[in-house]
Amino acid sequence: MKCAIILAGCGVYDGAEIHESVMLLYALSLKNAEYEIFAPNIDQFHVVDHLSGQVTVEKRNVLTEAARIARGKICDLKNLNPEKFDAIILPGGFGVAKNLCDFAFKSENMTVLPELEMILKTAHSLGKPIGAMCISPVILAKIFPHAKLTIGNDTDTTKALENMGAIHTKTNQGQVVIDAEHKFVTTPCYMLDASLAQIGQGAAALVDAVQHLIK
Amino acid sequence: MKCAIILAGCGVYDGAEIHESVMLLYALSLKNAEYEIFAPNIDQFHVVDHLSGQVTVEKRNVLTEAARIARGKICDLKNLNPEKFDAIILPGGFGVAKNLCDFAFKSENMTVLPELEMILKTAHSLGKPIGAMCISPVILAKIFPHAKLTIGNDTDTTKALENMGAIHTKTNQGQVVIDAEHKFVTTPCYMLDASLAQIGQGAAALVDAVQHLIK
């Protein structure tokens, strides 16, 4: 199994959620699965001071910051060729909803970063499974009508997903929803109040389910 | 078990190593152990672009950046009272050797951040175990003569440790060295070429050994 992982920066409030990203890579490593990490070479929507929670005046690049999680082994998202991978997986974090799409600001009227949308559509048309953690399922809901997925149990987000045409299933910590028709696997992670052990459980369950969907 | 975790920023080249930090927190979470996370409220020695590997002109604060790994739940190191914890654990990363001490620049002639040195000496005098991952054992070697520890198998670092009076044992991925007399536990992590699964194995073994040393 060789997976492409797409990160949205480095940090829960303005980038990729670090725990979810690392637990995903750990679940893959435990299976001796290969992975390559990608992120878009764009400015972050903004930078949040994770101590104060306040937006700062800094500018940071999504690819450069995501490289922190990847220990430098990362490629520009524009070079992701879905043909070369068995599956694509997106961890969560506000960066997904701010940098990879604009769900954080426009809810169901969101748009997806064009290069990401193209990659996911190509992967899907090739029959490759797509895994999405935490808030990332909003991207699947937007691009693929009638996707079956989960973001946990948040009422407003569920409503927005359903307004985009998705079929939502409530889940608890560590659970996954499998859309066998679309080959999508989703898990709520920190969309629910969760321990890091539960994040690990969800990541492992997602990786398992993705592996079973690979042709 | 309640542990204090000390981070040196967020990112292998200028801060705390993210994988080691998260795998440590995960190992604690699996045991339902409590933990609080601390970092010094000081500027990073420098900021490294983790994509290019080059030093940038930016300024970042160790506490503010470490808050990314802690999801905002972090305290200034100066407020760490060792009496309130059963053990203290330091993940690795170049930030340890650049922000928490200056081993990266002065090798065995290094000095330790005074507030950290005081905390570790107090913890040790109270009989609390100290865990140190990756490069962090250099701090134990400097403060506590004749500490038994490991940083893996790097010849230059081993020599520097021995010149500071430490007793070094070579280790492989996932192994720990236990200094029962000092109550120190060390594990090499990314001081060796390692998979993330092996980092997880080392973190879990370290947490196990620390737990056994608690009175």
PDB file of all heavy atoms in Angstrom, chain A residues 10 14 17-19 23 29 48 50 60 64-65 68-69 71-72 190 197, chain B residues 10 14 17-19 26 29 48-50 60 65 68-69 71-72 190 197:
ATOM      1  N   CYS A  10       0.689  23.317   9.682  1.00  0.00           N
ATOM      2  CA  CYS A  10       1.222  22.664  10.895  1.00  0.00           C
ATOM      3  C   CYS A  10       0.671  23.343  12.144  1.00  0.00           C
ATOM      4  O   CYS A  10       1.255  24.294  12.644  1.00  0.00           O
ATOM      5  CB  CYS A  10       2.745  22.721  10.889  1.00  0.00           C
ATOM      6  SG  CYS A  10       3.521  22.058  12.370  1.00  0.00           S
ATOM      7  N   ASP A  14      -4.557  26.872  12.401  1.00  0.00           N
ATOM      8  CA  ASP A  14      -4.333  27.494  11.082  1.00  0.00           C
ATOM      9  C   ASP A  14      -3.740  26.524  10.062  1.00  0.00           C
ATOM     10  O   ASP A  14      -3.446  26.923   8.933  1.00  0.00           O
ATOM     11  CB  ASP A  14      -3.439  28.736  11.204  1.00  0.00           C
ATOM     12  CG  ASP A  14      -2.071  28.421  11.807  1.00  0.00           C
ATOM     13  OD1 ASP A  14      -1.687  27.238  11.869  1.00  0.00           O
ATOM     14  OD2 ASP A  14      -1.369  29.375  12.242  1.00  0.00           O
ATOM     15  N   GLU A  17      -3.918  19.473  11.719  1.00  0.00           N
ATOM     16  CA  GLU A  17      -3.895  19.083  13.129  1.00  0.00           C
ATOM     17  C   GLU A  17      -2.713  18.110  13.305  1.00  0.00           C
ATOM     18  O   GLU A  17      -2.647  17.074  12.632  1.00  0.00           O
ATOM     19  CB  GLU A  17      -5.236  18.434  13.509  1.00  0.00           C
ATOM     20  CG  GLU A  17      -5.624  18.653  14.964  1.00  0.00           C
ATOM     21  CD  GLU A  17      -4.653  18.003  15.929  1.00  0.00           C
ATOM     22  OE1 GLU A  17      -4.364  16.817  15.745  1.00  0.00           O
ATOM     23  OE2 GLU A  17      -4.163  18.679  16.850  1.00  0.00           O
ATOM     24  N   ILE A  18      -1.814  18.473  14.209  1.00  0.00           N
ATOM     25  CA  ILE A  18      -0.557  17.732  14.330  1.00  0.00           C
ATOM     26  C   ILE A  18      -0.779  16.306  14.842  1.00  0.00           C
ATOM     27  O   ILE A  18      -0.217  15.348  14.301  1.00  0.00           O
ATOM     28  CB  ILE A  18       0.425  18.510  15.241  1.00  0.00           C
ATOM     29  CG1 ILE A  18       0.876  19.801  14.537  1.00  0.00           C
ATOM     30  CG2 ILE A  18       1.623  17.647  15.612  1.00  0.00           C
ATOM     31  CD1 ILE A  18       1.718  20.732  15.408  1.00  0.00           C
ATOM     32  N   HIS A  19      -1.593  16.138  15.876  1.00  0.00           N
ATOM     33  CA  HIS A  19      -1.804  14.789  16.436  1.00  0.00           C
ATOM     34  C   HIS A  19      -2.427  13.859  15.388  1.00  0.00           C
ATOM     35  O   HIS A  19      -2.001  12.711  15.243  1.00  0.00           O
ATOM     36  CB  HIS A  19      -2.723  14.841  17.660  1.00  0.00           C
ATOM     37  CG  HIS A  19      -2.190  15.644  18.808  1.00  0.00           C
ATOM     38  ND1 HIS A  19      -2.797  15.684  20.036  1.00  0.00           N
ATOM     39  CD2 HIS A  19      -1.106  16.450  18.911  1.00  0.00           C
ATOM     40  CE1 HIS A  19      -2.108  16.473  20.847  1.00  0.00           C
ATOM     41  NE2 HIS A  19      -1.085  16.957  20.185  1.00  0.00           N
ATOM     42  N   MET A  23      -0.576  10.577  14.019  1.00  0.00           N
ATOM     43  CA  MET A  23      -1.192   9.272  14.278  1.00  0.00           C
ATOM     44  C   MET A  23      -1.536   8.563  12.962  1.00  0.00           C
ATOM     45  O   MET A  23      -1.489   7.325  12.891  1.00  0.00           O
ATOM     46  CB  MET A  23      -2.437   9.414  15.159  1.00  0.00           C
ATOM     47  CG  MET A  23      -2.175   9.902  16.585  1.00  0.00           C
ATOM     48  SD  MET A  23      -0.725   9.198  17.436  1.00  0.00           S
ATOM     49  CE  MET A  23      -1.156   7.467  17.470  1.00  0.00           C
ATOM     50  N   SER A  29       2.885   3.500   9.230  1.00  0.00           N
ATOM     51  CA  SER A  29       4.199   2.935   9.543  1.00  0.00           C
ATOM     52  C   SER A  29       4.061   1.559  10.193  1.00  0.00           C
ATOM     53  O   SER A  29       4.840   0.641   9.895  1.00  0.00           O
ATOM     54  CB  SER A  29       4.970   3.894  10.450  1.00  0.00           C
ATOM     55  OG  SER A  29       6.254   3.399  10.746  1.00  0.00           O
ATOM     56  N   VAL A  48      -2.266  31.810  13.290  1.00  0.00           N
ATOM     57  CA  VAL A  48      -2.855  31.941  14.625  1.00  0.00           C
ATOM     58  C   VAL A  48      -1.789  31.610  15.668  1.00  0.00           C
ATOM     59  O   VAL A  48      -1.118  30.582  15.574  1.00  0.00           O
ATOM     60  CB  VAL A  48      -4.072  31.000  14.781  1.00  0.00           C
ATOM     61  CG1 VAL A  48      -4.617  31.054  16.210  1.00  0.00           C
ATOM     62  CG2 VAL A  48      -5.171  31.358  13.777  1.00  0.00           C
ATOM     63  N   HIS A  50      -0.923  29.994  18.691  1.00  0.00           N
ATOM     64  CA  HIS A  50      -1.613  28.873  19.351  1.00  0.00           C
ATOM     65  C   HIS A  50      -1.603  28.971  20.874  1.00  0.00           C
ATOM     66  O   HIS A  50      -2.255  28.166  21.545  1.00  0.00           O
ATOM     67  CB  HIS A  50      -1.021  27.538  18.884  1.00  0.00           C
ATOM     68  CG  HIS A  50      -1.536  27.094  17.548  1.00  0.00           C
ATOM     69  ND1 HIS A  50      -1.441  27.868  16.417  1.00  0.00           N
ATOM     70  CD2 HIS A  50      -2.209  25.976  17.157  1.00  0.00           C
ATOM     71  CE1 HIS A  50      -1.994  27.226  15.387  1.00  0.00           C
ATOM     72  NE2 HIS A  50      -2.465  26.083  15.813  1.00  0.00           N
ATOM     73  N   ARG A  60       2.785  32.879   6.640  1.00  0.00           N
ATOM     74  CA  ARG A  60       3.487  31.603   6.546  1.00  0.00           C
ATOM     75  C   ARG A  60       2.928  30.818   5.360  1.00  0.00           C
ATOM     76  O   ARG A  60       1.767  30.985   4.984  1.00  0.00           O
ATOM     77  CB  ARG A  60       3.317  30.780   7.848  1.00  0.00           C
ATOM     78  CG  ARG A  60       3.974  31.432   9.061  1.00  0.00           C
ATOM     79  CD  ARG A  60       3.957  30.542  10.290  1.00  0.00           C
ATOM     80  NE  ARG A  60       4.451  31.254  11.459  1.00  0.00           N
ATOM     81  CZ  ARG A  60       4.588  30.724  12.675  1.00  0.00           C
ATOM     82  NH1 ARG A  60       4.265  29.450  12.869  1.00  0.00           N
ATOM     83  NH2 ARG A  60       5.044  31.436  13.687  1.00  0.00           N
ATOM     84  N   THR A  64       5.681  25.017   3.422  1.00  0.00           N
ATOM     85  CA  THR A  64       6.846  25.195   4.302  1.00  0.00           C
ATOM     86  C   THR A  64       6.526  24.778   5.735  1.00  0.00           C
ATOM     87  O   THR A  64       7.353  24.150   6.404  1.00  0.00           O
ATOM     88  CB  THR A  64       7.296  26.674   4.284  1.00  0.00           C
ATOM     89  OG1 THR A  64       7.535  27.057   2.933  1.00  0.00           O
ATOM     90  CG2 THR A  64       8.557  26.883   5.088  1.00  0.00           C
ATOM     91  N   GLU A  65       5.339  25.124   6.215  1.00  0.00           N
ATOM     92  CA  GLU A  65       4.971  24.761   7.588  1.00  0.00           C
ATOM     93  C   GLU A  65       4.656  23.269   7.692  1.00  0.00           C
ATOM     94  O   GLU A  65       5.056  22.612   8.653  1.00  0.00           O
ATOM     95  CB  GLU A  65       3.801  25.614   8.078  1.00  0.00           C
ATOM     96  CG  GLU A  65       4.127  27.098   8.185  1.00  0.00           C
ATOM     97  CD  GLU A  65       5.399  27.391   8.970  1.00  0.00           C
ATOM     98  OE1 GLU A  65       5.592  26.803  10.046  1.00  0.00           O
ATOM     99  OE2 GLU A  65       6.222  28.201   8.486  1.00  0.00           O
ATOM    100  N   ARG A  68       7.317  20.783   8.535  1.00  0.00           N
ATOM    101  CA  ARG A  68       7.696  20.500   9.928  1.00  0.00           C
ATOM    102  C   ARG A  68       7.171  19.129  10.359  1.00  0.00           C
ATOM    103  O   ARG A  68       7.877  18.364  10.999  1.00  0.00           O
ATOM    104  CB  ARG A  68       7.155  21.599  10.861  1.00  0.00           C
ATOM    105  CG  ARG A  68       7.865  22.925  10.629  1.00  0.00           C
ATOM    106  CD  ARG A  68       7.337  24.058  11.475  1.00  0.00           C
ATOM    107  NE  ARG A  68       8.158  25.234  11.216  1.00  0.00           N
ATOM    108  CZ  ARG A  68       9.268  25.543  11.897  1.00  0.00           C
ATOM    109  NH1 ARG A  68       9.638  24.812  12.923  1.00  0.00           N
ATOM    110  NH2 ARG A  68       9.995  26.589  11.564  1.00  0.00           N
ATOM    111  N   ILE A  69       5.933  18.839  10.000  1.00  0.00           N
ATOM    112  CA  ILE A  69       5.354  17.526  10.339  1.00  0.00           C
ATOM    113  C   ILE A  69       6.047  16.433   9.526  1.00  0.00           C
ATOM    114  O   ILE A  69       6.250  15.325  10.001  1.00  0.00           O
ATOM    115  CB  ILE A  69       3.831  17.519  10.082  1.00  0.00           C
ATOM    116  CG1 ILE A  69       3.128  18.496  11.023  1.00  0.00           C
ATOM    117  CG2 ILE A  69       3.250  16.106  10.225  1.00  0.00           C
ATOM    118  CD1 ILE A  69       1.636  18.667  10.776  1.00  0.00           C
ATOM    119  N   ARG A  71       9.120  16.395   8.486  1.00  0.00           N
ATOM    120  CA  ARG A  71      10.569  16.388   8.688  1.00  0.00           C
ATOM    121  C   ARG A  71      11.293  16.682   7.374  1.00  0.00           C
ATOM    122  O   ARG A  71      12.328  16.099   7.063  1.00  0.00           O
ATOM    123  CB  ARG A  71      11.022  15.033   9.246  1.00  0.00           C
ATOM    124  CG  ARG A  71      10.479  14.746  10.651  1.00  0.00           C
ATOM    125  CD  ARG A  71      10.702  13.314  11.109  1.00  0.00           C
ATOM    126  NE  ARG A  71      12.057  12.835  10.914  1.00  0.00           N
ATOM    127  CZ  ARG A  71      13.084  13.054  11.741  1.00  0.00           C
ATOM    128  NH1 ARG A  71      12.892  13.762  12.841  1.00  0.00           N
ATOM    129  NH2 ARG A  71      14.264  12.578  11.486  1.00  0.00           N
ATOM    130  N   GLY A  72      10.714  17.592   6.577  1.00  0.00           N
ATOM    131  CA  GLY A  72      11.349  18.042   5.344  1.00  0.00           C
ATOM    132  C   GLY A  72      11.050  17.188   4.127  1.00  0.00           C
ATOM    133  O   GLY A  72      11.310  17.601   3.001  1.00  0.00           O
ATOM    134  N   TYR A 190     -10.747  14.944  16.238  1.00  0.00           N
ATOM    135  CA  TYR A 190     -10.989  16.071  17.155  1.00  0.00           C
ATOM    136  C   TYR A 190     -12.230  16.899  16.800  1.00  0.00           C
ATOM    137  O   TYR A 190     -12.431  17.957  17.395  1.00  0.00           O
ATOM    138  CB  TYR A 190      -9.758  16.974  17.228  1.00  0.00           C
ATOM    139  CG  TYR A 190      -8.636  16.436  18.093  1.00  0.00           C
ATOM    140  CD1 TYR A 190      -7.338  16.325  17.601  1.00  0.00           C
ATOM    141  CD2 TYR A 190      -8.859  16.053  19.423  1.00  0.00           C
ATOM    142  CE1 TYR A 190      -6.294  15.848  18.389  1.00  0.00           C
ATOM    143  CE2 TYR A 190      -7.822  15.575  20.215  1.00  0.00           C
ATOM    144  CZ  TYR A 190      -6.540  15.478  19.697  1.00  0.00           C
ATOM    145  OH  TYR A 190      -5.516  15.001  20.492  1.00  0.00           O
ATOM    146  N   ALA A 197      -5.255   8.829  22.568  1.00  0.00           N
ATOM    147  CA  ALA A 197      -5.413   7.385  22.329  1.00  0.00           C
ATOM    148  C   ALA A 197      -6.575   7.141  21.366  1.00  0.00           C
ATOM    149  O   ALA A 197      -6.493   6.273  20.480  1.00  0.00           O
ATOM    150  CB  ALA A 197      -5.643   6.649  23.650  1.00  0.00           C
TER     151      ALA A 197
ATOM    152  N   CYS B  10       8.502  23.641  17.900  1.00  0.00           N
ATOM    153  CA  CYS B  10       7.647  22.784  17.065  1.00  0.00           C
ATOM    154  C   CYS B  10       8.286  22.552  15.703  1.00  0.00           C
ATOM    155  O   CYS B  10       8.075  23.328  14.774  1.00  0.00           O
ATOM    156  CB  CYS B  10       6.271  23.435  16.899  1.00  0.00           C
ATOM    157  SG  CYS B  10       5.154  22.541  15.804  1.00  0.00           S
ATOM    158  N   ASP B  14      14.436  23.250  14.411  1.00  0.00           N
ATOM    159  CA  ASP B  14      14.592  24.413  15.289  1.00  0.00           C
ATOM    160  C   ASP B  14      13.764  24.316  16.568  1.00  0.00           C
ATOM    161  O   ASP B  14      13.755  25.250  17.364  1.00  0.00           O
ATOM    162  CB  ASP B  14      14.242  25.715  14.549  1.00  0.00           C
ATOM    163  CG  ASP B  14      12.813  25.727  13.999  1.00  0.00           C
ATOM    164  OD1 ASP B  14      11.991  24.905  14.441  1.00  0.00           O
ATOM    165  OD2 ASP B  14      12.518  26.572  13.132  1.00  0.00           O
ATOM    166  N   GLU B  17      11.004  17.842  18.242  1.00  0.00           N
ATOM    167  CA  GLU B  17      10.704  16.905  17.169  1.00  0.00           C
ATOM    168  C   GLU B  17       9.228  16.498  17.333  1.00  0.00           C
ATOM    169  O   GLU B  17       8.825  15.982  18.375  1.00  0.00           O
ATOM    170  CB  GLU B  17      11.644  15.698  17.237  1.00  0.00           C
ATOM    171  CG  GLU B  17      11.934  15.049  15.896  1.00  0.00           C
ATOM    172  CD  GLU B  17      10.701  14.482  15.230  1.00  0.00           C
ATOM    173  OE1 GLU B  17       9.994  13.727  15.880  1.00  0.00           O
ATOM    174  OE2 GLU B  17      10.433  14.823  14.061  1.00  0.00           O
ATOM    175  N   ILE B  18       8.458  16.741  16.268  1.00  0.00           N
ATOM    176  CA  ILE B  18       7.001  16.578  16.368  1.00  0.00           C
ATOM    177  C   ILE B  18       6.598  15.116  16.568  1.00  0.00           C
ATOM    178  O   ILE B  18       5.757  14.801  17.416  1.00  0.00           O
ATOM    179  CB  ILE B  18       6.326  17.189  15.117  1.00  0.00           C
ATOM    180  CG1 ILE B  18       6.495  18.720  15.122  1.00  0.00           C
ATOM    181  CG2 ILE B  18       4.849  16.812  15.051  1.00  0.00           C
ATOM    182  CD1 ILE B  18       5.997  19.418  13.851  1.00  0.00           C
ATOM    183  N   HIS B  19       7.184  14.205  15.800  1.00  0.00           N
ATOM    184  CA  HIS B  19       6.792  12.787  15.917  1.00  0.00           C
ATOM    185  C   HIS B  19       7.095  12.268  17.322  1.00  0.00           C
ATOM    186  O   HIS B  19       6.272  11.585  17.933  1.00  0.00           O
ATOM    187  CB  HIS B  19       7.528  11.928  14.894  1.00  0.00           C
ATOM    188  CG  HIS B  19       7.245  12.280  13.464  1.00  0.00           C
ATOM    189  ND1 HIS B  19       7.672  11.518  12.408  1.00  0.00           N
ATOM    190  CD2 HIS B  19       6.567  13.311  12.900  1.00  0.00           C
ATOM    191  CE1 HIS B  19       7.285  12.072  11.271  1.00  0.00           C
ATOM    192  NE2 HIS B  19       6.620  13.159  11.550  1.00  0.00           N
ATOM    193  N   TYR B  26       1.018  10.161  23.109  1.00  0.00           N
ATOM    194  CA  TYR B  26       0.178   9.001  22.789  1.00  0.00           C
ATOM    195  C   TYR B  26       0.433   7.862  23.777  1.00  0.00           C
ATOM    196  O   TYR B  26      -0.508   7.249  24.292  1.00  0.00           O
ATOM    197  CB  TYR B  26       0.462   8.556  21.357  1.00  0.00           C
ATOM    198  CG  TYR B  26      -0.295   7.327  20.906  1.00  0.00           C
ATOM    199  CD1 TYR B  26      -1.680   7.338  20.795  1.00  0.00           C
ATOM    200  CD2 TYR B  26       0.380   6.156  20.570  1.00  0.00           C
ATOM    201  CE1 TYR B  26      -2.372   6.210  20.365  1.00  0.00           C
ATOM    202  CE2 TYR B  26      -0.299   5.034  20.135  1.00  0.00           C
ATOM    203  CZ  TYR B  26      -1.681   5.063  20.039  1.00  0.00           C
ATOM    204  OH  TYR B  26      -2.366   3.953  19.612  1.00  0.00           O
ATOM    205  N   SER B  29      -1.239   8.745  26.908  1.00  0.00           N
ATOM    206  CA  SER B  29      -2.691   8.670  26.761  1.00  0.00           C
ATOM    207  C   SER B  29      -3.168   7.214  26.811  1.00  0.00           C
ATOM    208  O   SER B  29      -4.201   6.910  27.401  1.00  0.00           O
ATOM    209  CB  SER B  29      -3.115   9.336  25.446  1.00  0.00           C
ATOM    210  OG  SER B  29      -4.515   9.308  25.281  1.00  0.00           O
ATOM    211  N   VAL B  48      14.187  27.714  11.195  1.00  0.00           N
ATOM    212  CA  VAL B  48      14.646  26.997  10.005  1.00  0.00           C
ATOM    213  C   VAL B  48      13.446  26.687   9.112  1.00  0.00           C
ATOM    214  O   VAL B  48      12.435  26.156   9.591  1.00  0.00           O
ATOM    215  CB  VAL B  48      15.374  25.689  10.399  1.00  0.00           C
ATOM    216  CG1 VAL B  48      15.749  24.875   9.161  1.00  0.00           C
ATOM    217  CG2 VAL B  48      16.612  25.991  11.235  1.00  0.00           C
ATOM    218  N   ASP B  49      13.543  27.051   7.857  1.00  0.00           N
ATOM    219  CA  ASP B  49      12.572  26.655   6.835  1.00  0.00           C
ATOM    220  C   ASP B  49      12.724  25.143   6.661  1.00  0.00           C
ATOM    221  O   ASP B  49      13.764  24.676   6.186  1.00  0.00           O
ATOM    222  CB  ASP B  49      12.892  27.413   5.542  1.00  0.00           C
ATOM    223  CG  ASP B  49      11.973  27.036   4.390  1.00  0.00           C
ATOM    224  OD1 ASP B  49      11.632  25.836   4.252  1.00  0.00           O
ATOM    225  OD2 ASP B  49      11.625  27.929   3.601  1.00  0.00           O
ATOM    226  N   HIS B  50      11.716  24.375   7.053  1.00  0.00           N
ATOM    227  CA  HIS B  50      11.852  22.913   7.038  1.00  0.00           C
ATOM    228  C   HIS B  50      11.734  22.316   5.644  1.00  0.00           C
ATOM    229  O   HIS B  50      11.959  21.112   5.462  1.00  0.00           O
ATOM    230  CB  HIS B  50      10.833  22.276   7.991  1.00  0.00           C
ATOM    231  CG  HIS B  50      11.260  22.318   9.434  1.00  0.00           C
ATOM    232  ND1 HIS B  50      11.593  23.481  10.089  1.00  0.00           N
ATOM    233  CD2 HIS B  50      11.449  21.323  10.342  1.00  0.00           C
ATOM    234  CE1 HIS B  50      11.949  23.199  11.342  1.00  0.00           C
ATOM    235  NE2 HIS B  50      11.868  21.899  11.509  1.00  0.00           N
ATOM    236  N   ARG B  60      10.617  33.525  16.150  1.00  0.00           N
ATOM    237  CA  ARG B  60       9.493  32.803  16.738  1.00  0.00           C
ATOM    238  C   ARG B  60       9.813  32.491  18.198  1.00  0.00           C
ATOM    239  O   ARG B  60      10.990  32.350  18.565  1.00  0.00           O
ATOM    240  CB  ARG B  60       9.205  31.496  15.963  1.00  0.00           C
ATOM    241  CG  ARG B  60       8.758  31.732  14.524  1.00  0.00           C
ATOM    242  CD  ARG B  60       8.297  30.457  13.841  1.00  0.00           C
ATOM    243  NE  ARG B  60       7.997  30.713  12.429  1.00  0.00           N
ATOM    244  CZ  ARG B  60       7.539  29.797  11.567  1.00  0.00           C
ATOM    245  NH1 ARG B  60       7.341  28.548  11.983  1.00  0.00           N
ATOM    246  NH2 ARG B  60       7.286  30.102  10.313  1.00  0.00           N
ATOM    247  N   GLU B  65       5.289  28.466  19.737  1.00  0.00           N
ATOM    248  CA  GLU B  65       5.351  27.417  18.707  1.00  0.00           C
ATOM    249  C   GLU B  65       5.050  26.046  19.313  1.00  0.00           C
ATOM    250  O   GLU B  65       4.328  25.253  18.706  1.00  0.00           O
ATOM    251  CB  GLU B  65       6.709  27.429  17.999  1.00  0.00           C
ATOM    252  CG  GLU B  65       6.989  28.706  17.216  1.00  0.00           C
ATOM    253  CD  GLU B  65       5.853  29.080  16.263  1.00  0.00           C
ATOM    254  OE1 GLU B  65       5.359  28.206  15.534  1.00  0.00           O
ATOM    255  OE2 GLU B  65       5.439  30.262  16.264  1.00  0.00           O
ATOM    256  N   ARG B  68       1.546  24.715  19.414  1.00  0.00           N
ATOM    257  CA  ARG B  68       0.954  24.009  18.257  1.00  0.00           C
ATOM    258  C   ARG B  68       0.859  22.510  18.536  1.00  0.00           C
ATOM    259  O   ARG B  68      -0.146  21.886  18.231  1.00  0.00           O
ATOM    260  CB  ARG B  68       1.783  24.269  16.987  1.00  0.00           C
ATOM    261  CG  ARG B  68       1.695  25.717  16.540  1.00  0.00           C
ATOM    262  CD  ARG B  68       2.537  26.048  15.324  1.00  0.00           C
ATOM    263  NE  ARG B  68       2.263  27.428  14.965  1.00  0.00           N
ATOM    264  CZ  ARG B  68       1.304  27.819  14.112  1.00  0.00           C
ATOM    265  NH1 ARG B  68       0.596  26.924  13.470  1.00  0.00           N
ATOM    266  NH2 ARG B  68       1.080  29.096  13.893  1.00  0.00           N
ATOM    267  N   ILE B  69       1.919  21.946  19.104  1.00  0.00           N
ATOM    268  CA  ILE B  69       1.899  20.515  19.444  1.00  0.00           C
ATOM    269  C   ILE B  69       0.916  20.273  20.591  1.00  0.00           C
ATOM    270  O   ILE B  69       0.244  19.253  20.637  1.00  0.00           O
ATOM    271  CB  ILE B  69       3.318  20.028  19.825  1.00  0.00           C
ATOM    272  CG1 ILE B  69       4.257  20.127  18.616  1.00  0.00           C
ATOM    273  CG2 ILE B  69       3.276  18.601  20.375  1.00  0.00           C
ATOM    274  CD1 ILE B  69       5.714  19.789  18.905  1.00  0.00           C
ATOM    275  N   ARG B  71      -1.805  21.903  21.245  1.00  0.00           N
ATOM    276  CA  ARG B  71      -3.158  22.382  20.929  1.00  0.00           C
ATOM    277  C   ARG B  71      -3.587  23.489  21.899  1.00  0.00           C
ATOM    278  O   ARG B  71      -4.733  23.559  22.322  1.00  0.00           O
ATOM    279  CB  ARG B  71      -4.167  21.218  20.963  1.00  0.00           C
ATOM    280  CG  ARG B  71      -3.926  20.153  19.914  1.00  0.00           C
ATOM    281  CD  ARG B  71      -4.738  18.882  20.130  1.00  0.00           C
ATOM    282  NE  ARG B  71      -6.146  19.127  20.352  1.00  0.00           N
ATOM    283  CZ  ARG B  71      -7.054  19.340  19.401  1.00  0.00           C
ATOM    284  NH1 ARG B  71      -6.682  19.338  18.139  1.00  0.00           N
ATOM    285  NH2 ARG B  71      -8.312  19.537  19.721  1.00  0.00           N
ATOM    286  N   GLY B  72      -2.620  24.365  22.234  1.00  0.00           N
ATOM    287  CA  GLY B  72      -2.922  25.518  23.084  1.00  0.00           C
ATOM    288  C   GLY B  72      -2.850  25.242  24.575  1.00  0.00           C
ATOM    289  O   GLY B  72      -2.801  26.184  25.375  1.00  0.00           O
ATOM    290  N   TYR B 190      15.044   9.486  16.891  1.00  0.00           N
ATOM    291  CA  TYR B 190      15.609   9.897  15.594  1.00  0.00           C
ATOM    292  C   TYR B 190      17.107  10.233  15.664  1.00  0.00           C
ATOM    293  O   TYR B 190      17.658  10.746  14.686  1.00  0.00           O
ATOM    294  CB  TYR B 190      14.837  11.072  15.014  1.00  0.00           C
ATOM    295  CG  TYR B 190      13.504  10.695  14.377  1.00  0.00           C
ATOM    296  CD1 TYR B 190      12.330  11.331  14.742  1.00  0.00           C
ATOM    297  CD2 TYR B 190      13.435   9.710  13.390  1.00  0.00           C
ATOM    298  CE1 TYR B 190      11.116  11.009  14.147  1.00  0.00           C
ATOM    299  CE2 TYR B 190      12.224   9.377  12.801  1.00  0.00           C
ATOM    300  CZ  TYR B 190      11.071  10.031  13.181  1.00  0.00           C
ATOM    301  OH  TYR B 190       9.871   9.711  12.581  1.00  0.00           O
ATOM    302  N   ALA B 197       7.005   3.921  13.449  1.00  0.00           N
ATOM    303  CA  ALA B 197       6.605   2.800  14.313  1.00  0.00           C
ATOM    304  C   ALA B 197       7.664   2.572  15.396  1.00  0.00           C
ATOM    305  O   ALA B 197       7.330   2.300  16.556  1.00  0.00           O
ATOM    306  CB  ALA B 197       6.394   1.532  13.484  1.00  0.00           C
TER     307      ALA B 197
END
